[in-house]
Amino acid sequence: MEQKVHMADEQLDLGIPVPDKPMKNGRPERQPGPIGVPRKLGDDETIDYISNKEVVKLTDAEIVRQRIAKVLVHQYGINPEDMVRDYPLQVLNAETGRMSRKRASIAIFEHGKPKSPETLKRIVVTKARPKNGRTVTKIRTYAQADAQLQELRDLMAAAGPSCTLGMWTDDKDLYFIERESTRFEPRFRPLPNWPRGDNEEFDATRDASSLAELRHADEYMLRFAFRRCHNFIHGNEGLPKDAAFWQFLYVLFAKIHDERLVREERQEPRFRVGIEDLDKDGRTGSPAVAARIKELFNEVKDFYADQGLFDDRDRLTLSDPALTFITSELAPFSLYATPIDAKGVAYQELVGDNPAR
Protein backbone atom coordinates (compact mmCIF):
# COMPACT_ATOMS: atom_id res chain seq x y z
CA MET A 1 0.00 0.00 0.00
CA GLU A 2 2.99 2.32 -0.37
CA GLN A 3 1.24 3.93 -3.33
CA LYS A 4 -1.71 4.74 -1.08
CA VAL A 5 0.50 6.77 1.28
CA HIS A 6 1.89 8.75 -1.66
CA MET A 7 -1.63 9.37 -2.98
CA ALA A 8 -2.77 10.57 0.44
CA ASP A 9 0.23 12.89 0.65
CA GLU A 10 -0.55 14.30 -2.80
CA GLN A 11 -4.27 14.80 -2.12
CA LEU A 12 -3.56 16.52 1.19
CA ASP A 13 -1.08 18.82 -0.59
CA LEU A 14 1.63 18.22 2.00
CA GLY A 15 5.04 19.18 0.73
CA ILE A 16 8.54 18.03 1.55
CA PRO A 17 10.05 19.85 4.54
CA VAL A 18 12.69 22.45 3.83
CA PRO A 19 15.41 23.68 6.20
CA ASP A 20 14.32 26.29 8.70
CA LYS A 21 14.88 29.86 7.57
CA PRO A 22 15.43 32.79 9.91
CA MET A 23 12.27 34.82 10.47
CA LYS A 24 12.45 38.32 9.02
CA ASN A 25 8.96 39.45 10.03
CA GLY A 26 7.05 39.36 13.24
CA ARG A 27 9.73 40.79 15.49
CA PRO A 28 11.32 44.20 15.58
CA GLU A 29 14.77 44.10 14.04
CA ARG A 30 17.52 43.96 16.59
CA GLN A 31 19.23 47.24 17.28
CA PRO A 32 22.99 47.35 16.91
CA GLY A 33 24.85 46.80 20.16
CA PRO A 34 27.56 48.99 21.60
CA ILE A 35 30.50 49.84 19.42
CA GLY A 36 32.93 46.97 19.47
CA VAL A 37 32.71 43.23 19.11
CA PRO A 38 29.68 41.78 20.91
CA ARG A 39 30.16 38.85 23.25
CA LYS A 40 29.66 35.52 21.56
CA LEU A 41 26.70 33.58 22.91
CA GLY A 42 27.44 30.29 24.60
CA ASP A 43 25.93 27.04 23.38
CA ASP A 44 23.49 27.18 26.29
CA GLU A 45 22.46 30.83 25.74
CA THR A 46 20.11 32.74 23.47
CA ILE A 47 18.69 36.23 23.01
CA ASP A 48 15.34 36.41 24.80
CA TYR A 49 12.57 36.53 22.19
CA ILE A 50 10.40 38.80 24.33
CA SER A 51 12.84 41.58 25.18
CA ASN A 52 14.88 41.03 22.00
CA LYS A 53 18.05 42.03 23.86
CA GLU A 54 18.52 40.11 27.11
CA VAL A 55 20.77 37.04 27.11
CA VAL A 56 19.11 34.07 28.80
CA LYS A 57 20.42 30.62 29.69
CA LEU A 58 18.68 27.83 27.80
CA THR A 59 17.53 25.64 30.66
CA ASP A 60 14.92 22.99 29.85
CA ALA A 61 12.20 25.31 31.17
CA GLU A 62 13.57 28.30 29.24
CA ILE A 63 13.52 26.38 25.97
CA VAL A 64 9.76 25.87 26.36
CA ARG A 65 9.20 29.54 27.29
CA GLN A 66 11.12 30.77 24.23
CA ARG A 67 9.10 28.49 21.94
CA ILE A 68 5.82 29.66 23.42
CA ALA A 69 6.85 33.33 23.16
CA LYS A 70 7.27 32.85 19.41
CA VAL A 71 3.90 31.10 19.24
CA LEU A 72 2.23 34.04 21.02
CA VAL A 73 3.60 36.37 18.35
CA HIS A 74 3.11 34.31 15.21
CA GLN A 75 0.06 32.21 16.10
CA TYR A 76 -1.93 34.63 18.25
CA GLY A 77 -0.76 38.00 16.93
CA ILE A 78 0.35 39.34 20.32
CA ASN A 79 2.94 42.09 20.25
CA PRO A 80 6.06 41.13 22.25
CA GLU A 81 6.11 44.69 23.61
CA ASP A 82 2.97 43.74 25.55
CA MET A 83 4.70 40.76 27.22
CA VAL A 84 6.74 40.54 30.41
CA ARG A 85 8.67 37.46 31.50
CA ASP A 86 8.75 36.34 35.16
CA TYR A 87 6.07 38.85 36.21
CA PRO A 88 5.67 38.79 40.04
CA LEU A 89 2.28 38.55 41.74
CA GLN A 90 1.21 38.17 45.39
CA VAL A 91 -0.62 34.85 45.54
CA LEU A 92 -2.82 33.70 48.44
CA ASN A 93 -2.12 30.24 49.80
CA ALA A 94 -5.58 28.79 50.46
CA GLU A 95 -4.25 26.32 53.05
CA THR A 96 -2.14 28.70 55.17
CA GLY A 97 -3.95 31.96 54.45
CA ARG A 98 -0.59 33.61 53.78
CA MET A 99 0.52 35.61 50.76
CA SER A 100 3.58 34.53 48.80
CA ARG A 101 5.32 35.97 45.78
CA LYS A 102 5.06 33.89 42.62
CA ARG A 103 5.91 34.64 39.02
CA ALA A 104 4.01 34.19 35.79
CA SER A 105 6.28 32.75 33.10
CA ILE A 106 4.82 35.23 30.63
CA ALA A 107 2.36 38.02 31.47
CA ILE A 108 0.46 39.69 28.62
CA PHE A 109 -0.93 43.19 29.08
CA GLU A 110 -3.47 45.36 27.30
CA HIS A 111 -1.81 46.88 24.28
CA GLY A 112 -0.30 50.29 24.77
CA LYS A 113 -1.21 50.51 28.47
CA PRO A 114 1.08 50.71 31.53
CA LYS A 115 1.97 47.24 32.76
CA SER A 116 0.11 46.67 36.01
CA PRO A 117 -2.30 44.06 37.45
CA GLU A 118 -5.19 46.25 36.23
CA THR A 119 -4.07 45.86 32.59
CA LEU A 120 -2.91 42.23 32.84
CA LYS A 121 -5.07 40.26 30.37
CA ARG A 122 -3.44 36.83 29.99
CA ILE A 123 -1.02 34.63 31.90
CA VAL A 124 1.15 31.81 30.56
CA VAL A 125 2.80 29.18 32.76
CA THR A 126 5.53 27.14 31.07
CA LYS A 127 7.33 24.12 32.50
CA ALA A 128 10.25 22.00 31.37
CA ARG A 129 9.34 19.15 29.06
CA PRO A 130 9.06 15.79 30.89
CA LYS A 131 12.12 13.65 30.25
CA ASN A 132 10.42 10.81 28.42
CA GLY A 133 11.89 11.40 24.97
CA ARG A 134 9.68 10.93 21.94
CA THR A 135 7.84 7.89 23.23
CA VAL A 136 4.07 7.96 22.90
CA THR A 137 2.48 9.02 26.17
CA LYS A 138 -1.12 9.39 27.18
CA ILE A 139 -2.46 12.94 26.81
CA ARG A 140 -4.13 14.05 30.04
CA THR A 141 -7.57 15.62 30.26
CA TYR A 142 -8.18 18.99 31.89
CA ALA A 143 -9.36 17.23 35.03
CA GLN A 144 -6.31 14.96 35.17
CA ALA A 145 -4.01 18.00 35.03
CA ASP A 146 -5.92 19.81 37.78
CA ALA A 147 -3.01 19.95 40.23
CA GLN A 148 -0.67 21.56 37.71
CA LEU A 149 -3.34 24.00 36.55
CA GLN A 150 -3.92 25.22 40.11
CA GLU A 151 -0.76 27.33 39.86
CA LEU A 152 -2.17 29.04 36.77
CA ARG A 153 -5.55 29.62 38.41
CA ASP A 154 -3.87 31.08 41.51
CA LEU A 155 -1.85 33.52 39.41
CA MET A 156 -4.93 34.60 37.43
CA ALA A 157 -6.90 35.11 40.65
CA ALA A 158 -4.05 37.19 42.09
CA ALA A 159 -3.96 39.36 38.97
CA GLY A 160 -7.62 40.28 39.37
CA PRO A 161 -10.72 40.28 37.17
CA SER A 162 -9.01 41.88 34.17
CA CYS A 163 -6.98 38.68 33.66
CA THR A 164 -9.41 36.35 31.92
CA LEU A 165 -7.24 33.96 29.87
CA GLY A 166 -4.60 31.44 30.90
CA MET A 167 -2.31 28.93 29.18
CA TRP A 168 -0.28 26.08 30.72
CA THR A 169 2.18 23.92 28.82
CA ASP A 170 5.16 21.65 29.37
CA ASP A 171 5.79 21.18 25.63
CA LYS A 172 3.80 17.92 25.78
CA ASP A 173 0.47 18.90 27.29
CA LEU A 174 -1.24 22.19 26.52
CA TYR A 175 -4.26 23.67 28.30
CA PHE A 176 -6.24 26.87 27.89
CA ILE A 177 -8.56 28.22 30.59
CA GLU A 178 -10.88 31.18 30.93
CA ARG A 179 -11.92 33.07 34.04
CA GLU A 180 -15.69 33.47 34.21
CA SER A 181 -17.26 36.68 35.42
CA THR A 182 -18.70 36.25 38.92
CA ARG A 183 -19.43 38.43 41.93
CA PHE A 184 -17.84 35.97 44.32
CA GLU A 185 -14.94 33.52 44.04
CA PRO A 186 -13.41 33.33 40.56
CA ARG A 187 -14.45 30.32 38.47
CA PHE A 188 -12.43 28.83 35.65
CA ARG A 189 -13.39 26.64 32.73
CA PRO A 190 -11.42 24.91 29.95
CA LEU A 191 -11.22 26.48 26.49
CA PRO A 192 -10.53 24.76 23.16
CA ASN A 193 -8.02 27.49 22.31
CA TRP A 194 -7.19 31.18 22.80
CA PRO A 195 -8.58 34.03 20.72
CA ARG A 196 -6.13 36.28 18.92
CA GLY A 197 -4.59 39.30 20.61
CA ASP A 198 -6.53 42.53 21.02
CA ASN A 199 -4.03 44.60 19.03
CA GLU A 200 -5.19 43.89 15.49
CA GLU A 201 -2.80 46.46 14.05
CA PHE A 202 0.06 44.16 14.99
CA ASP A 203 0.19 41.30 12.51
CA ALA A 204 3.27 39.14 12.88
CA THR A 205 2.88 37.60 9.42
CA ARG A 206 2.37 40.93 7.64
CA ASP A 207 -0.59 39.28 5.96
CA ALA A 208 -4.13 40.52 6.48
CA SER A 209 -5.58 37.04 6.04
CA SER A 210 -3.98 36.00 9.32
CA LEU A 211 -6.61 38.09 11.07
CA ALA A 212 -9.30 35.74 9.82
CA GLU A 213 -10.89 33.19 12.10
CA LEU A 214 -8.64 30.43 10.80
CA ARG A 215 -4.95 31.17 11.15
CA HIS A 216 -1.80 30.34 9.26
CA ALA A 217 -0.27 27.53 11.27
CA ASP A 218 2.94 28.28 13.08
CA GLU A 219 5.30 25.38 12.29
CA TYR A 220 6.02 24.57 15.94
CA MET A 221 2.35 24.65 16.93
CA LEU A 222 1.28 22.56 13.96
CA ARG A 223 3.99 19.98 14.69
CA PHE A 224 2.95 20.08 18.34
CA ALA A 225 -0.74 19.63 17.46
CA PHE A 226 -0.05 16.73 15.06
CA ARG A 227 2.05 14.91 17.66
CA ARG A 228 -0.54 15.45 20.42
CA CYS A 229 -3.32 14.14 18.18
CA HIS A 230 -1.35 11.04 17.28
CA ASN A 231 -0.36 10.42 20.91
CA PHE A 232 -3.94 10.90 22.09
CA ILE A 233 -5.16 8.26 19.65
CA HIS A 234 -2.36 5.83 20.48
CA GLY A 235 -2.40 6.45 24.24
CA ASN A 236 -6.15 6.72 24.83
CA GLU A 237 -7.66 4.51 22.12
CA GLY A 238 -5.33 1.54 22.54
CA LEU A 239 -4.38 1.46 18.85
CA PRO A 240 -1.00 0.43 17.47
CA LYS A 241 1.04 3.21 15.89
CA ASP A 242 0.21 2.43 12.27
CA ALA A 243 -3.53 2.21 12.96
CA ALA A 244 -3.35 5.43 14.99
CA PHE A 245 -1.63 7.12 12.07
CA TRP A 246 -4.33 6.14 9.58
CA GLN A 247 -7.15 7.18 11.88
CA PHE A 248 -5.46 10.58 12.28
CA LEU A 249 -5.04 10.82 8.51
CA TYR A 250 -8.79 10.26 8.01
CA VAL A 251 -9.54 13.18 10.34
CA LEU A 252 -7.00 15.30 8.48
CA PHE A 253 -8.81 14.56 5.22
CA ALA A 254 -12.06 15.68 6.87
CA LYS A 255 -10.38 18.93 7.94
CA ILE A 256 -9.08 19.68 4.43
CA HIS A 257 -12.49 18.83 2.95
CA ASP A 258 -14.29 21.14 5.38
CA GLU A 259 -11.94 24.03 4.56
CA ARG A 260 -12.58 23.51 0.84
CA LEU A 261 -16.36 23.60 1.33
CA VAL A 262 -16.12 26.75 3.42
CA ARG A 263 -13.78 28.43 0.95
CA GLU A 264 -15.37 27.39 -2.35
CA GLU A 265 -19.03 26.83 -1.49
CA ARG A 266 -19.40 29.25 1.45
CA GLN A 267 -20.71 26.50 3.71
CA GLU A 268 -20.72 26.88 7.47
CA PRO A 269 -17.69 25.13 9.00
CA ARG A 270 -18.39 21.73 10.54
CA PHE A 271 -14.83 20.97 11.66
CA ARG A 272 -15.10 22.91 14.91
CA VAL A 273 -15.50 22.62 18.67
CA GLY A 274 -17.42 25.22 20.64
CA ILE A 275 -17.70 25.83 24.34
CA GLU A 276 -21.08 24.11 24.21
CA ASP A 277 -19.36 20.98 22.88
CA LEU A 278 -16.99 20.62 25.84
CA ASP A 279 -17.98 18.65 28.91
CA LYS A 280 -16.72 19.79 32.29
CA ASP A 281 -13.57 17.69 32.47
CA GLY A 282 -13.01 16.59 28.88
CA ARG A 283 -13.58 12.88 29.45
CA THR A 284 -16.73 12.08 27.51
CA GLY A 285 -16.24 14.12 24.37
CA SER A 286 -19.02 15.46 22.20
CA PRO A 287 -21.30 13.18 20.15
CA ALA A 288 -22.19 16.23 18.03
CA VAL A 289 -18.56 16.91 17.13
CA ALA A 290 -17.92 13.23 16.40
CA ALA A 291 -20.98 13.03 14.15
CA ARG A 292 -19.86 16.08 12.16
CA ILE A 293 -16.35 14.69 11.59
CA LYS A 294 -17.63 11.28 10.54
CA GLU A 295 -20.06 12.95 8.15
CA LEU A 296 -17.20 14.93 6.62
CA PHE A 297 -15.06 11.83 6.17
CA ASN A 298 -17.89 9.96 4.45
CA GLU A 299 -18.13 12.91 2.04
CA VAL A 300 -14.38 12.67 1.48
CA LYS A 301 -14.70 9.01 0.49
CA ASP A 302 -17.43 9.90 -1.98
CA PHE A 303 -15.39 12.83 -3.33
CA TYR A 304 -12.41 10.58 -4.14
CA ALA A 305 -14.43 7.51 -5.16
CA ASP A 306 -13.34 7.65 -8.82
CA GLN A 307 -9.65 7.72 -7.79
CA GLY A 308 -9.80 4.58 -5.67
CA LEU A 309 -8.11 6.32 -2.76
CA PHE A 310 -10.30 4.60 -0.17
CA ASP A 311 -11.89 1.17 0.16
CA ASP A 312 -14.19 -0.62 2.62
CA ARG A 313 -11.40 -0.93 5.18
CA ASP A 314 -11.15 2.85 5.53
CA ARG A 315 -13.48 3.60 8.39
CA LEU A 316 -13.27 6.30 11.02
CA THR A 317 -13.64 4.37 14.27
CA LEU A 318 -12.28 6.80 16.87
CA SER A 319 -14.29 7.43 20.02
CA ASP A 320 -16.17 10.66 20.72
CA PRO A 321 -13.48 11.90 23.16
CA ALA A 322 -10.73 11.29 20.61
CA LEU A 323 -12.56 13.02 17.77
CA THR A 324 -13.44 15.94 20.04
CA PHE A 325 -9.83 16.29 21.19
CA ILE A 326 -8.35 16.11 17.69
CA THR A 327 -10.89 18.55 16.30
CA SER A 328 -10.16 21.06 19.05
CA GLU A 329 -6.44 20.77 18.28
CA LEU A 330 -6.74 21.25 14.51
CA ALA A 331 -9.80 23.48 14.14
CA PRO A 332 -8.00 26.84 14.67
CA PHE A 333 -5.55 26.22 11.82
CA SER A 334 -6.09 26.95 8.15
CA LEU A 335 -4.16 24.18 6.44
CA TYR A 336 -5.08 25.66 3.06
CA ALA A 337 -3.40 28.96 3.94
CA THR A 338 -0.42 27.41 5.70
CA PRO A 339 2.88 27.33 3.78
CA ILE A 340 3.65 23.93 2.27
CA ASP A 341 6.87 23.46 4.21
CA ALA A 342 5.12 23.90 7.57
CA LYS A 343 2.57 21.24 6.67
CA GLY A 344 5.28 18.98 5.39
CA VAL A 345 7.32 19.22 8.58
CA ALA A 346 4.25 18.46 10.69
CA TYR A 347 3.25 15.59 8.39
CA GLN A 348 6.73 14.06 8.64
CA GLU A 349 6.37 14.20 12.43
CA LEU A 350 3.92 11.31 12.00
CA VAL A 351 4.83 9.66 8.70
CA GLY A 352 8.45 9.17 9.75
CA ASP A 353 7.42 6.61 12.36
CA ASN A 354 4.65 4.88 10.41
CA PRO A 355 5.18 2.36 7.62
CA ALA A 356 3.06 2.33 4.49
CA ARG A 357 0.39 -0.30 4.42
Side-chain angles (χ1 to χ4, degrees):
M1 285 285 185
E2 182 176 357
Q3 181 181 5
K4 189 168 185 176
V5 173
H6 295 317
M7 290 178 65
D9 191 358
E10 180 179 349
Q11 296 298 337
L12 286 168
D13 195 27
L14 299 168
I16 302 300
V18 298
D20 292 336
K21 297 180 180 179
M23 296 297 297
K24 295 183 179 179
N25 297 321
R27 289 293 281 112
E29 292 186 5
R30 287 188 181 135
Q31 299 299 315
I35 297 176
V37 179
R39 177 175 73 84
K40 183 179 179 181
L41 293 177
D43 293 339
D44 62 344
E45 294 179 326
T46 191
I47 300 295
D48 174 42
Y49 194 79
I50 296 173
S51 67
N52 207 33
K53 60 183 180 181
E54 296 178 15
V55 177
V56 295
K57 186 173 288 292
L58 280 175
T59 62
D60 291 343
E62 190 61 49
I63 289 172
V64 177
R65 172 158 49 187
Q66 292 298 314
R67 287 174 176 170
I68 292 301
K70 294 177 184 178
V71 166
L72 294 174
V73 173
H74 294 283
Q75 192 68 48
Y76 295 98
I78 297 173
N79 193 320
E81 295 178 359
D82 298 327
M83 304 182 203
V84 173
R85 53 181 286 133
D86 288 326
Y87 185 76
L89 288 164
Q90 292 295 322
V91 175
L92 175 66
N93 186 314
E95 294 183 1
T96 65
R98 296 181 179 179
M99 303 294 288
S100 61
R101 194 182 194 192
K102 297 197 174 181
R103 297 178 180 272
S105 304
I106 302 175
I108 302 169
F109 297 83
E110 188 174 350
H111 179 64
K113 297 293 181 67
K115 295 176 174 60
S116 68
E118 291 73 29
T119 61
L120 180 50
K121 309 291 286 185
R122 312 184 191 209
I123 283 178
V124 180
V125 171
T126 57
K127 300 293 183 180
R129 181 176 176 81
K131 295 184 181 298
N132 56 2
R134 289 174 53 89
T135 57
V136 174
T137 54
K138 189 171 183 177
I139 301 297
R140 296 176 298 170
T141 67
Y142 176 84
Q144 291 166 339
D146 184 72
Q148 286 82 2
L149 291 174
Q150 188 58 48
E151 178 185 359
L152 175 58
R153 292 191 289 262
D154 288 344
L155 286 165
M156 292 176 66
S162 65
C163 184
T164 58
L165 296 171
M167 176 196 295
W168 187 99
T169 184
D170 62 359
D171 205 41
K172 180 176 74 72
D173 285 322
L174 178 67
Y175 305 97
F176 302 93
I177 64 174
E178 180 182 39
R179 176 179 179 149
E180 296 181 282
S181 298
T182 174
R183 295 174 56 188
F184 305 103
E185 292 294 320
R187 289 200 303 251
F188 301 91
R189 65 177 180 178
L191 285 178
N193 209 311
W194 262 8
R196 282 185 60 86
D198 55 7
N199 175 24
E200 293 193 353
E201 293 180 358
F202 176 75
D203 177 12
T205 64
R206 300 293 187 266
D207 186 334
S209 66
S210 68
L211 299 178
E213 183 177 354
L214 293 182
R215 310 158 191 162
H216 293 193
D218 171 84
E219 180 181 307
Y220 166 73
M221 284 298 281
L222 191 59
R223 184 195 295 268
F224 189 30
F226 273 40
R227 189 188 313 140
R228 280 168 53 79
C229 290
H230 182 268
N231 285 0
F232 188 98
I233 297 171
H234 183 65
N236 294 269
E237 299 288 282
L239 296 176
K241 292 187 71 174
D242 58 343
F245 163 69
W246 280 99
Q247 287 294 307
F248 174 76
L249 196 64
Y250 297 156
V251 180
L252 199 59
F253 264 104
K255 166 68 171 165
I256 296 288
H257 179 67
D258 186 62
E259 287 189 21
R260 184 185 65 81
L261 294 177
V262 172
R263 185 177 67 254
E264 297 179 3
E265 302 183 17
R266 300 294 187 267
Q267 292 190 16
E268 288 294 318
R270 283 176 283 166
F271 198 102
R272 58 179 174 79
V273 176
I275 295 297
E276 70 280 1
D277 295 316
L278 293 176
D279 63 279
K280 183 178 180 181
D281 56 21
R283 291 178 178 173
T284 61
S286 168
V289 170
R292 290 197 296 266
I293 305 310
K294 289 178 180 178
E295 180 182 51
L296 284 167
F297 182 61
N298 287 334
E299 292 176 12
V300 167
K301 293 170 69 174
D302 291 340
F303 187 80
Y304 291 113
D306 59 344
Q307 299 183 35
L309 187 59
F310 300 102
D311 57 35
D312 291 339
R313 295 182 304 162
D314 296 297
R315 292 179 295 159
L316 188 52
T317 59
L318 295 175
S319 66
D320 291 358
L323 286 173
T324 303
F325 177 86
I326 296 169
T327 303
S328 68
E329 288 286 308
L330 300 181
F333 300 127
S334 171
L335 299 183
Y336 172 79
T338 296
I340 294 296
D341 60 325
K343 285 186 288 191
V345 168
Y347 186 59
Q348 289 298 321
E349 184 74 22
L350 302 182
V351 174
D353 292 330
N354 288 278
R357 66 173 189 175

